[in-house]
Structure formats: C-alpha cells, structure tokens
Amino acid sequence: MATDGYVQNIWDAPEWNPGGSRLVVHDVSTTPPVLAAELAQAWAEIQRYHAELPDLAAPESLIGESSSACGAELSFERLLHEAVHGIAAARGVRDTSRAGRYHNRRFLAIAEELGLDHSEEPHPSSGFSLVSLNPEARRRYRPTIERLQRALAAHTVATTSDTERSFRGPAARHGSSGGGVRVKAVCDCGRNVRVVPSVLAQAPIVCGGCGKPFRIPEVVAAAS
C-alpha cells in the first residue's frame, strides 16, 4: 500500500496500536483513522500527567466538530480544553452554564491545573473559554503538539484536495462532512454520541465502556 512516509510511520510504529485490533486501516488518503489515532495518543499523553482524566471514548467524534465556545479549530490546545471538561465531569464539578456556553471560574481553576491561562476578563457570553497554553505546558507537550499538527495538516490536505475529474458527494460539496446534521448513535451499553452519519460511515466509532461500535438506530436512520 503506497502512502507518504509520515502516515506509514504512524501505522508501523507499535506504540500507536499496541492491541492490534482497534485500528482499521482504510485507504489512508482519507486519513480519519490516522488522525483519530493521533488524537487518542495525545489524550493519553495528557493522562500521563493527570491520571483522573477519563478515557476519550470516541476521538473520531472530534474530527470536524466545531464549537464556538470551546474553540472552532481542532488543535492540541482545543484537546487540552476538552480535557478540562473531562476532569470537571470526573470531579462532579459544574464548570459551565447557559447550555454549556459560559465557562465559569471553576472551569478556569481546572484549566490552570492543566497548563491553560486566561489573562483577560471573562467574555460576556462565553466566560473563560478562550484559554491558551502557558509556556511550561507548551514545553511539556511539544513533541505531542508537533506530532498532532503534522497529522492535522495531512488530514486537511487529504480532505480538501480536489481535481476537475473527481466527483464529490453532497456531504463534501456542501461542507457537511463535519458540520452537517448530527443524529444520536448508541452502543450496546446504552451510551450515546451525536454524530454526522457521513462521519460514522468513514470508520467505526468505538465505545470506551463496552468496546462495541456506536450505531445509528434504524428508526433514526430511516427518518434521516
């Protein structure tokens, strides 16, 4: 299988897939499985320093996900922001209000523990959501940041490349592969995620609780 050297190194390195069964290699020119693996690895690196951080059940769900309150662009800084919410949930701390948009001082306190700063007064509508990496955290996670940036760049190239002779489906034509209508997908243990059907079709999203893939119930699929 012909790939560029960077992608080939990811799949060949044993530390990326120690179990050898969860990652399914598709045509890597589409790269979502590769990027999902990098997101999972970056999350695991955060857990090295913050053991109470829960596992990331579905890293694929972050690809194409946009949140004006938490950050519209996927990056390590955005991933660390999501980790703040994960630790808040593990501690039973209510770190947001106004339907999850306003990030309060409890969010900020945990963010500072993880190496995120907010040097200005809170935003009127989103509070302390616009946090950024402090110098110490940037040094600590530099290899992880650089690795994730390369994976994100490869993903962007693969998903935005086009030619005059290529046909793009409706999801790609209208830019809805990551921002389209989301439906509920469930797993056997009853957990659920909101996902764009076209994203779920690219590769399985596996539940971290039961190990089974999330699926869109037939009644929902029929309605959509």
Side-chain angles (χ1 to χ4, degrees):
M1 177 174 61
T3 68
D4 63 82
Y6 170 62
V7 172
Q8 188 66 58
N9 286 338
I10 287 179
W11 287 116
D12 287 348
E15 63 267 29
W16 301 118
N17 187 16
S21 59
R22 284 292 182 88
L23 299 179
V24 179
V25 180
H26 298 279
D27 178 356
V28 292
S29 64
T30 58
T31 72
V34 174
L35 180 53
E38 283 289 359
L39 288 167
Q41 179 67 19
W43 191 267
E45 184 67 15
I46 299 171
Q47 287 179 311
R48 283 185 56 201
Y49 298 95
H50 305 279
E52 63 183 313
L53 176 63
D55 291 339
L56 183 60
E60 296 91 342
S61 65
L62 291 174
I63 302 174
E65 181 70 36
S66 177
S67 170
S68 59
C70 295
E73 183 179 350
L74 185 55
S75 63
F76 182 79
E77 195 167 75
R78 164 80 187 281
L79 197 65
L80 202 59
H81 179 124
E82 297 294 346
V84 175
H85 290 306
I87 289 180
R91 294 178 181 177
V93 172
R94 185 178 180 184
D95 62 341
T96 64
S97 58
R98 303 178 194 174
R101 181 169 180 78
Y102 190 88
H103 293 55
N104 58 36
R105 290 188 181 276
R106 290 184 288 274
F107 169 86
L108 180 59
I110 300 174
E112 289 174 345
E113 291 179 35
L114 270 66
L116 292 167
D117 288 339
H118 190 285
S119 58
E120 302 176 359
E121 290 298 310
H123 189 276
S125 61
S126 60
F128 295 98
S129 68
L130 300 179
V131 286
S132 58
L133 279 166
N134 65 31
E136 181 182 353
R138 194 172 296 278
R139 286 191 297 270
R140 172 186 295 172
Y141 294 112
R142 178 172 294 151
T144 303
I145 293 170
E146 292 175 350
R147 200 165 52 234
L148 184 58
Q149 285 176 337
R150 290 196 297 268
L152 286 164
H155 176 78
T156 299
V157 170
T159 54
T160 58
S161 61
D162 198 2
T163 67
E164 293 181 359
R165 296 182 60 84
S166 65
F167 174 76
R168 306 178 72 200
R173 290 199 306 274
H174 299 292
S176 60
S177 60
V181 176
R182 290 171 171 77
V183 299
K184 183 170 72 172
V186 300
C187 66
D188 287 353
C189 67
R191 302 177 69 196
N192 66 80
V193 296
R194 305 292 295 186
V195 63
V196 178
S198 62
V199 172
L200 188 62
Q202 292 175 357
I205 297 177
V206 179
C207 174
C210 67
K212 299 294 182 62
F214 285 94
R215 55 183 174 78
I216 299 174
E218 291 182 6
V219 62
V220 176
S224 59

mmCIF file with all atom_site columns, all heavy atoms in Angstrom, residues 93-109:
data_model
loop_
_atom_site.group_PDB
_atom_site.id
_atom_site.type_symbol
_atom_site.label_atom_id
_atom_site.label_alt_id
_atom_site.label_comp_id
_atom_site.label_asym_id
_atom_site.label_entity_id
_atom_site.label_seq_id
_atom_site.pdbx_PDB_ins_code
_atom_site.Cartn_x
_atom_site.Cartn_y
_atom_site.Cartn_z
_atom_site.occupancy
_atom_site.B_iso_or_equiv
_atom_site.pdbx_formal_charge
_atom_site.auth_seq_id
_atom_site.auth_comp_id
_atom_site.auth_asym_id
_atom_site.auth_atom_id
_atom_site.pdbx_PDB_model_num
ATOM 1   N N   . VAL A 1 93  ? -17.873 18.515 39.016 1.00 0.00 ? 93  VAL A N   1
ATOM 2   C CA  . VAL A 1 93  ? -17.854 19.974 39.069 1.00 0.00 ? 93  VAL A CA  1
ATOM 3   C C   . VAL A 1 93  ? -18.644 20.536 37.896 1.00 0.00 ? 93  VAL A C   1
ATOM 4   O O   . VAL A 1 93  ? -18.418 20.146 36.746 1.00 0.00 ? 93  VAL A O   1
ATOM 5   C CB  . VAL A 1 93  ? -16.405 20.502 39.021 1.00 0.00 ? 93  VAL A CB  1
ATOM 6   C CG1 . VAL A 1 93  ? -16.379 22.020 38.881 1.00 0.00 ? 93  VAL A CG1 1
ATOM 7   C CG2 . VAL A 1 93  ? -15.644 20.072 40.269 1.00 0.00 ? 93  VAL A CG2 1
ATOM 8   N N   . ARG A 1 94  ? -19.545 21.454 38.178 1.00 0.00 ? 94  ARG A N   1
ATOM 9   C CA  . ARG A 1 94  ? -20.278 22.121 37.110 1.00 0.00 ? 94  ARG A CA  1
ATOM 10  C C   . ARG A 1 94  ? -19.441 23.300 36.633 1.00 0.00 ? 94  ARG A C   1
ATOM 11  O O   . ARG A 1 94  ? -19.403 24.357 37.252 1.00 0.00 ? 94  ARG A O   1
ATOM 12  C CB  . ARG A 1 94  ? -21.641 22.594 37.613 1.00 0.00 ? 94  ARG A CB  1
ATOM 13  C CG  . ARG A 1 94  ? -22.502 23.181 36.507 1.00 0.00 ? 94  ARG A CG  1
ATOM 14  C CD  . ARG A 1 94  ? -23.856 23.597 37.022 1.00 0.00 ? 94  ARG A CD  1
ATOM 15  N NE  . ARG A 1 94  ? -24.676 24.162 35.950 1.00 0.00 ? 94  ARG A NE  1
ATOM 16  C CZ  . ARG A 1 94  ? -25.893 24.677 36.128 1.00 0.00 ? 94  ARG A CZ  1
ATOM 17  N NH1 . ARG A 1 94  ? -26.428 24.693 37.349 1.00 0.00 ? 94  ARG A NH1 1
ATOM 18  N NH2 . ARG A 1 94  ? -26.562 25.162 35.119 1.00 0.00 ? 94  ARG A NH2 1
ATOM 19  N N   . ASP A 1 95  ? -18.778 23.116 35.499 1.00 0.00 ? 95  ASP A N   1
ATOM 20  C CA  . ASP A 1 95  ? -17.822 24.117 35.030 1.00 0.00 ? 95  ASP A CA  1
ATOM 21  C C   . ASP A 1 95  ? -18.382 25.056 33.972 1.00 0.00 ? 95  ASP A C   1
ATOM 22  O O   . ASP A 1 95  ? -17.683 25.978 33.540 1.00 0.00 ? 95  ASP A O   1
ATOM 23  C CB  . ASP A 1 95  ? -16.559 23.433 34.502 1.00 0.00 ? 95  ASP A CB  1
ATOM 24  C CG  . ASP A 1 95  ? -16.838 22.518 33.314 1.00 0.00 ? 95  ASP A CG  1
ATOM 25  O OD1 . ASP A 1 95  ? -17.997 22.121 33.120 1.00 0.00 ? 95  ASP A OD1 1
ATOM 26  O OD2 . ASP A 1 95  ? -15.882 22.193 32.570 1.00 0.00 ? 95  ASP A OD2 1
ATOM 27  N N   . THR A 1 96  ? -19.611 24.835 33.544 1.00 0.00 ? 96  THR A N   1
ATOM 28  C CA  . THR A 1 96  ? -20.231 25.723 32.554 1.00 0.00 ? 96  THR A CA  1
ATOM 29  C C   . THR A 1 96  ? -21.694 25.967 32.923 1.00 0.00 ? 96  THR A C   1
ATOM 30  O O   . THR A 1 96  ? -22.277 25.242 33.729 1.00 0.00 ? 96  THR A O   1
ATOM 31  C CB  . THR A 1 96  ? -20.193 25.129 31.130 1.00 0.00 ? 96  THR A CB  1
ATOM 32  O OG1 . THR A 1 96  ? -20.979 23.920 31.088 1.00 0.00 ? 96  THR A OG1 1
ATOM 33  C CG2 . THR A 1 96  ? -18.773 24.842 30.690 1.00 0.00 ? 96  THR A CG2 1
ATOM 34  N N   . SER A 1 97  ? -22.258 26.997 32.289 1.00 0.00 ? 97  SER A N   1
ATOM 35  C CA  . SER A 1 97  ? -23.686 27.285 32.413 1.00 0.00 ? 97  SER A CA  1
ATOM 36  C C   . SER A 1 97  ? -24.166 27.814 31.065 1.00 0.00 ? 97  SER A C   1
ATOM 37  O O   . SER A 1 97  ? -23.406 27.844 30.097 1.00 0.00 ? 97  SER A O   1
ATOM 38  C CB  . SER A 1 97  ? -23.932 28.310 33.533 1.00 0.00 ? 97  SER A CB  1
ATOM 39  O OG  . SER A 1 97  ? -23.208 29.510 33.276 1.00 0.00 ? 97  SER A OG  1
ATOM 40  N N   . ARG A 1 98  ? -25.418 28.221 31.005 1.00 0.00 ? 98  ARG A N   1
ATOM 41  C CA  . ARG A 1 98  ? -26.008 28.732 29.758 1.00 0.00 ? 98  ARG A CA  1
ATOM 42  C C   . ARG A 1 98  ? -25.856 27.716 28.622 1.00 0.00 ? 98  ARG A C   1
ATOM 43  O O   . ARG A 1 98  ? -25.313 27.995 27.567 1.00 0.00 ? 98  ARG A O   1
ATOM 44  C CB  . ARG A 1 98  ? -25.377 30.069 29.350 1.00 0.00 ? 98  ARG A CB  1
ATOM 45  C CG  . ARG A 1 98  ? -25.492 31.158 30.420 1.00 0.00 ? 98  ARG A CG  1
ATOM 46  C CD  . ARG A 1 98  ? -24.799 32.433 29.965 1.00 0.00 ? 98  ARG A CD  1
ATOM 47  N NE  . ARG A 1 98  ? -24.616 33.348 31.105 1.00 0.00 ? 98  ARG A NE  1
ATOM 48  C CZ  . ARG A 1 98  ? -23.936 34.487 31.052 1.00 0.00 ? 98  ARG A CZ  1
ATOM 49  N NH1 . ARG A 1 98  ? -23.381 34.862 29.907 1.00 0.00 ? 98  ARG A NH1 1
ATOM 50  N NH2 . ARG A 1 98  ? -23.801 35.248 32.118 1.00 0.00 ? 98  ARG A NH2 1
ATOM 51  N N   . ALA A 1 99  ? -26.345 26.506 28.903 1.00 0.00 ? 99  ALA A N   1
ATOM 52  C CA  . ALA A 1 99  ? -26.318 25.411 27.921 1.00 0.00 ? 99  ALA A CA  1
ATOM 53  C C   . ALA A 1 99  ? -24.890 25.047 27.513 1.00 0.00 ? 99  ALA A C   1
ATOM 54  O O   . ALA A 1 99  ? -24.627 24.646 26.384 1.00 0.00 ? 99  ALA A O   1
ATOM 55  C CB  . ALA A 1 99  ? -27.140 25.771 26.690 1.00 0.00 ? 99  ALA A CB  1
ATOM 56  N N   . GLY A 1 100 ? -23.961 25.162 28.459 1.00 0.00 ? 100 GLY A N   1
ATOM 57  C CA  . GLY A 1 100 ? -22.581 24.768 28.208 1.00 0.00 ? 100 GLY A CA  1
ATOM 58  C C   . GLY A 1 100 ? -21.726 25.822 27.551 1.00 0.00 ? 100 GLY A C   1
ATOM 59  O O   . GLY A 1 100 ? -20.548 25.584 27.290 1.00 0.00 ? 100 GLY A O   1
ATOM 60  N N   . ARG A 1 101 ? -22.281 26.993 27.297 1.00 0.00 ? 101 ARG A N   1
ATOM 61  C CA  . ARG A 1 101 ? -21.507 28.019 26.598 1.00 0.00 ? 101 ARG A CA  1
ATOM 62  C C   . ARG A 1 101 ? -20.631 28.837 27.552 1.00 0.00 ? 101 ARG A C   1
ATOM 63  O O   . ARG A 1 101 ? -19.473 29.107 27.243 1.00 0.00 ? 101 ARG A O   1
ATOM 64  C CB  . ARG A 1 101 ? -22.450 28.954 25.833 1.00 0.00 ? 101 ARG A CB  1
ATOM 65  C CG  . ARG A 1 101 ? -21.704 30.035 25.067 1.00 0.00 ? 101 ARG A CG  1
ATOM 66  C CD  . ARG A 1 101 ? -22.589 30.804 24.107 1.00 0.00 ? 101 ARG A CD  1
ATOM 67  N NE  . ARG A 1 101 ? -21.831 31.831 23.408 1.00 0.00 ? 101 ARG A NE  1
ATOM 68  C CZ  . ARG A 1 101 ? -21.024 31.609 22.380 1.00 0.00 ? 101 ARG A CZ  1
ATOM 69  N NH1 . ARG A 1 101 ? -20.862 30.383 21.941 1.00 0.00 ? 101 ARG A NH1 1
ATOM 70  N NH2 . ARG A 1 101 ? -20.362 32.595 21.792 1.00 0.00 ? 101 ARG A NH2 1
ATOM 71  N N   . TYR A 1 102 ? -21.177 29.239 28.698 1.00 0.00 ? 102 TYR A N   1
ATOM 72  C CA  . TYR A 1 102 ? -20.423 30.097 29.604 1.00 0.00 ? 102 TYR A CA  1
ATOM 73  C C   . TYR A 1 102 ? -19.499 29.248 30.486 1.00 0.00 ? 102 TYR A C   1
ATOM 74  O O   . TYR A 1 102 ? -19.953 28.379 31.237 1.00 0.00 ? 102 TYR A O   1
ATOM 75  C CB  . TYR A 1 102 ? -21.356 30.926 30.488 1.00 0.00 ? 102 TYR A CB  1
ATOM 76  C CG  . TYR A 1 102 ? -20.620 31.998 31.268 1.00 0.00 ? 102 TYR A CG  1
ATOM 77  C CD1 . TYR A 1 102 ? -20.414 33.258 30.717 1.00 0.00 ? 102 TYR A CD1 1
ATOM 78  C CD2 . TYR A 1 102 ? -20.114 31.737 32.537 1.00 0.00 ? 102 TYR A CD2 1
ATOM 79  C CE1 . TYR A 1 102 ? -19.721 34.238 31.412 1.00 0.00 ? 102 TYR A CE1 1
ATOM 80  C CE2 . TYR A 1 102 ? -19.428 32.703 33.244 1.00 0.00 ? 102 TYR A CE2 1
ATOM 81  C CZ  . TYR A 1 102 ? -19.230 33.958 32.676 1.00 0.00 ? 102 TYR A CZ  1
ATOM 82  O OH  . TYR A 1 102 ? -18.536 34.929 33.365 1.00 0.00 ? 102 TYR A OH  1
ATOM 83  N N   . HIS A 1 103 ? -18.185 29.484 30.395 1.00 0.00 ? 103 HIS A N   1
ATOM 84  C CA  . HIS A 1 103 ? -17.178 28.762 31.166 1.00 0.00 ? 103 HIS A CA  1
ATOM 85  C C   . HIS A 1 103 ? -16.843 29.582 32.418 1.00 0.00 ? 103 HIS A C   1
ATOM 86  O O   . HIS A 1 103 ? -16.323 30.687 32.315 1.00 0.00 ? 103 HIS A O   1
ATOM 87  C CB  . HIS A 1 103 ? -15.921 28.556 30.320 1.00 0.00 ? 103 HIS A CB  1
ATOM 88  C CG  . HIS A 1 103 ? -16.118 27.631 29.158 1.00 0.00 ? 103 HIS A CG  1
ATOM 89  N ND1 . HIS A 1 103 ? -17.093 27.824 28.209 1.00 0.00 ? 103 HIS A ND1 1
ATOM 90  C CD2 . HIS A 1 103 ? -15.454 26.493 28.804 1.00 0.00 ? 103 HIS A CD2 1
ATOM 91  C CE1 . HIS A 1 103 ? -17.024 26.855 27.307 1.00 0.00 ? 103 HIS A CE1 1
ATOM 92  N NE2 . HIS A 1 103 ? -16.047 26.044 27.642 1.00 0.00 ? 103 HIS A NE2 1
ATOM 93  N N   . ASN A 1 104 ? -17.165 29.014 33.576 1.00 0.00 ? 104 ASN A N   1
ATOM 94  C CA  . ASN A 1 104 ? -17.060 29.775 34.813 1.00 0.00 ? 104 ASN A CA  1
ATOM 95  C C   . ASN A 1 104 ? -15.675 29.657 35.457 1.00 0.00 ? 104 ASN A C   1
ATOM 96  O O   . ASN A 1 104 ? -14.756 29.073 34.883 1.00 0.00 ? 104 ASN A O   1
ATOM 97  C CB  . ASN A 1 104 ? -18.161 29.333 35.787 1.00 0.00 ? 104 ASN A CB  1
ATOM 98  C CG  . ASN A 1 104 ? -18.085 27.840 36.088 1.00 0.00 ? 104 ASN A CG  1
ATOM 99  O OD1 . ASN A 1 104 ? -17.014 27.256 36.172 1.00 0.00 ? 104 ASN A OD1 1
ATOM 100 N ND2 . ASN A 1 104 ? -19.255 27.222 36.261 1.00 0.00 ? 104 ASN A ND2 1
ATOM 101 N N   . ARG A 1 105 ? -15.542 30.208 36.665 1.00 0.00 ? 105 ARG A N   1
ATOM 102 C CA  . ARG A 1 105 ? -14.237 30.219 37.334 1.00 0.00 ? 105 ARG A CA  1
ATOM 103 C C   . ARG A 1 105 ? -13.822 28.819 37.787 1.00 0.00 ? 105 ARG A C   1
ATOM 104 O O   . ARG A 1 105 ? -12.623 28.550 37.971 1.00 0.00 ? 105 ARG A O   1
ATOM 105 C CB  . ARG A 1 105 ? -14.259 31.187 38.517 1.00 0.00 ? 105 ARG A CB  1
ATOM 106 C CG  . ARG A 1 105 ? -14.335 32.638 38.081 1.00 0.00 ? 105 ARG A CG  1
ATOM 107 C CD  . ARG A 1 105 ? -14.152 33.607 39.235 1.00 0.00 ? 105 ARG A CD  1
ATOM 108 N NE  . ARG A 1 105 ? -14.249 34.990 38.770 1.00 0.00 ? 105 ARG A NE  1
ATOM 109 C CZ  . ARG A 1 105 ? -13.240 35.674 38.239 1.00 0.00 ? 105 ARG A CZ  1
ATOM 110 N NH1 . ARG A 1 105 ? -12.045 35.098 38.122 1.00 0.00 ? 105 ARG A NH1 1
ATOM 111 N NH2 . ARG A 1 105 ? -13.420 36.918 37.835 1.00 0.00 ? 105 ARG A NH2 1
ATOM 112 N N   . ARG A 1 106 ? -14.773 27.907 37.987 1.00 0.00 ? 106 ARG A N   1
ATOM 113 C CA  . ARG A 1 106 ? -14.401 26.529 38.301 1.00 0.00 ? 106 ARG A CA  1
ATOM 114 C C   . ARG A 1 106 ? -13.710 25.879 37.099 1.00 0.00 ? 106 ARG A C   1
ATOM 115 O O   . ARG A 1 106 ? -12.765 25.112 37.256 1.00 0.00 ? 106 ARG A O   1
ATOM 116 C CB  . ARG A 1 106 ? -15.637 25.737 38.733 1.00 0.00 ? 106 ARG A CB  1
ATOM 117 C CG  . ARG A 1 106 ? -16.185 26.153 40.102 1.00 0.00 ? 106 ARG A CG  1
ATOM 118 C CD  . ARG A 1 106 ? -17.344 25.286 40.542 1.00 0.00 ? 106 ARG A CD  1
ATOM 119 N NE  . ARG A 1 106 ? -18.542 25.556 39.767 1.00 0.00 ? 106 ARG A NE  1
ATOM 120 C CZ  . ARG A 1 106 ? -19.428 26.500 40.045 1.00 0.00 ? 106 ARG A CZ  1
ATOM 121 N NH1 . ARG A 1 106 ? -19.234 27.290 41.089 1.00 0.00 ? 106 ARG A NH1 1
ATOM 122 N NH2 . ARG A 1 106 ? -20.509 26.666 39.308 1.00 0.00 ? 106 ARG A NH2 1
ATOM 123 N N   . PHE A 1 107 ? -14.207 26.203 35.902 1.00 0.00 ? 107 PHE A N   1
ATOM 124 C CA  . PHE A 1 107 ? -13.521 25.746 34.686 1.00 0.00 ? 107 PHE A CA  1
ATOM 125 C C   . PHE A 1 107 ? -12.111 26.322 34.640 1.00 0.00 ? 107 PHE A C   1
ATOM 126 O O   . PHE A 1 107 ? -11.140 25.611 34.358 1.00 0.00 ? 107 PHE A O   1
ATOM 127 C CB  . PHE A 1 107 ? -14.304 26.179 33.444 1.00 0.00 ? 107 PHE A CB  1
ATOM 128 C CG  . PHE A 1 107 ? -13.544 25.984 32.158 1.00 0.00 ? 107 PHE A CG  1
ATOM 129 C CD1 . PHE A 1 107 ? -13.564 24.771 31.498 1.00 0.00 ? 107 PHE A CD1 1
ATOM 130 C CD2 . PHE A 1 107 ? -12.780 27.023 31.625 1.00 0.00 ? 107 PHE A CD2 1
ATOM 131 C CE1 . PHE A 1 107 ? -12.836 24.575 30.322 1.00 0.00 ? 107 PHE A CE1 1
ATOM 132 C CE2 . PHE A 1 107 ? -12.057 26.843 30.452 1.00 0.00 ? 107 PHE A CE2 1
ATOM 133 C CZ  . PHE A 1 107 ? -12.080 25.620 29.810 1.00 0.00 ? 107 PHE A CZ  1
ATOM 134 N N   . LEU A 1 108 ? -11.985 27.616 34.915 1.00 0.00 ? 108 LEU A N   1
ATOM 135 C CA  . LEU A 1 108 ? -10.684 28.272 34.845 1.00 0.00 ? 108 LEU A CA  1
ATOM 136 C C   . LEU A 1 108 ? -9.699  27.665 35.832 1.00 0.00 ? 108 LEU A C   1
ATOM 137 O O   . LEU A 1 108 ? -8.515  27.488 35.511 1.00 0.00 ? 108 LEU A O   1
ATOM 138 C CB  . LEU A 1 108 ? -10.845 29.770 35.108 1.00 0.00 ? 108 LEU A CB  1
ATOM 139 C CG  . LEU A 1 108 ? -9.565  30.600 35.062 1.00 0.00 ? 108 LEU A CG  1
ATOM 140 C CD1 . LEU A 1 108 ? -8.886  30.491 33.700 1.00 0.00 ? 108 LEU A CD1 1
ATOM 141 C CD2 . LEU A 1 108 ? -9.858  32.066 35.391 1.00 0.00 ? 108 LEU A CD2 1
ATOM 142 N N   . ALA A 1 109 ? -10.169 27.321 37.039 1.00 0.00 ? 109 ALA A N   1
ATOM 143 C CA  . ALA A 1 109 ? -9.276  26.747 38.059 1.00 0.00 ? 109 ALA A CA  1
ATOM 144 C C   . ALA A 1 109 ? -8.685  25.423 37.569 1.00 0.00 ? 109 ALA A C   1
ATOM 145 O O   . ALA A 1 109 ? -7.479  25.158 37.732 1.00 0.00 ? 109 ALA A O   1
ATOM 146 C CB  . ALA A 1 109 ? -10.038 26.543 39.367 1.00 0.00 ? 109 ALA A CB  1
#
